[in-house]
Amino acid sequence: MTTGQGTTAPPAGTDDFASAWRELQADGDVQFAPVEMPEQEPPPDWLTEFIRWLGEMLSPVGNALVDIWPVLMWVLIGAAVLAVLYFLYDTFGPGVRRRRREASQEPEWTPREGEALALLEEADRLAAAGEFDEATHLLLKRSVSQIAEARPDLVEPSSTARELAAEARLPDAARTAFALIAAPVERSLFALRKLEEADWQAARAAYADFALARKAIVA
């Protein structure tokens, strides 16, 4: 755009931009000048000497690694390949089939029949006296002890009935029994609710199904 004298007028908004720029430069909160970094104190002499000594000690190792790297690289690659092959063999090889066959041939486990019947008889006496809490709790403690005796690898000192009820290596009957026996025992111990005969009968039936049925504990 030209004026009457033939000069070119500044583009629209130029004066506003220049004014805003001057205001920004005048703002003391905005840093425009270069920041002078404070001089850093040199490290102590002992640290400098230690770094120098460490470099001298490790330099032969570094040089040796550089010299043997072409060979070392192939050794590492070969070791990685062997590790992968071993993993595949151990996961999918004939050893897996053998272990599965041995597991399937494991003898079935069940509490000794006489022991299970003696426990039921003892618990029945408690229940006959109206002590349903004690009878149900006795079933839970003894059934856990029976599992621990047969398979100590499945039961830790801190194991709970709920954990055992979720143990995949236990037979379904055992998991169901633990769940059905543990629930009323928890109500008795923690909710301070006295158990009734129906609670006892359900727990007794669950234990009998578990203890007197022949179910295998899977390895």
Side-chain angles (χ1 to χ4, degrees):
M1 180 178 181
T2 59
T3 63
Q5 288 75 21
T7 59
T8 302
T14 301
D15 291 340
D16 293 338
F17 176 80
S19 177
W21 174 246
R22 287 192 296 271
E23 290 180 3
L24 182 64
Q25 288 181 311
D27 189 349
D29 295 332
V30 181
Q31 177 71 35
F32 288 98
V35 178
E36 294 185 2
M37 300 298 295
E39 293 185 2
Q40 299 290 329
E41 294 185 0
D45 293 340
W46 67 266
L47 181 58
T48 302
E49 288 298 319
F50 174 75
I51 294 175
R52 183 186 61 78
W53 173 82
L54 188 62
E56 292 177 353
M57 289 291 295
L58 296 180
S59 60
V61 177
N63 294 334
L65 288 176
V66 171
D67 293 338
I68 67 172
W69 174 246
V71 177
L72 181 61
M73 177 182 65
W74 288 109
V75 171
L76 294 177
I77 292 174
V81 171
L82 289 176
V84 171
L85 292 176
Y86 175 79
F87 170 78
L88 294 175
Y89 178 83
D90 187 63
T91 304
F92 304 105
V96 176
R97 293 192 293 271
R98 186 186 70 253
R99 289 194 295 270
R100 289 176 179 173
R101 184 170 59 252
E102 291 174 353
S104 65
Q105 294 173 352
E106 277 195 1
E108 293 183 341
W109 174 88
T110 186
R112 290 184 291 272
E113 184 175 353
E115 182 180 334
L117 292 174
L119 171 57
L120 286 174
E121 182 179 351
E122 182 180 352
D124 281 336
R125 286 197 297 268
L126 291 172
E131 299 178 359
F132 302 120
D133 298 78
E134 291 78 0
T136 306
H137 199 188
L138 178 64
L139 287 185
L140 182 63
K141 290 192 300 183
R142 292 283 184 84
S143 57
V144 172
S145 298
Q146 289 168 352
I147 292 292
E149 180 182 358
R151 288 295 301 272
D153 57 310
L154 299 185
V155 182
E156 299 290 339
S158 60
S159 296
T160 64
R162 288 189 177 185
E163 292 172 341
L164 290 173
E167 174 57 65
R169 290 171 292 179
L170 286 175
D172 293 339
R175 291 199 299 270
T176 302
F178 282 122
L180 293 176
I181 299 173
V185 170
E186 288 179 348
R187 290 199 303 270
S188 172
L189 294 178
F190 303 116
L192 301 179
R193 172 187 166 186
K194 295 288 291 182
L195 299 184
E196 299 177 356
E197 184 176 3
D199 299 316
W200 153 248
Q201 291 294 346
R204 186 190 191 284
Y207 176 79
D209 290 343
F210 152 62
L212 302 179
R214 301 192 62 82
K215 301 289 185 180
I217 292 185
V218 181

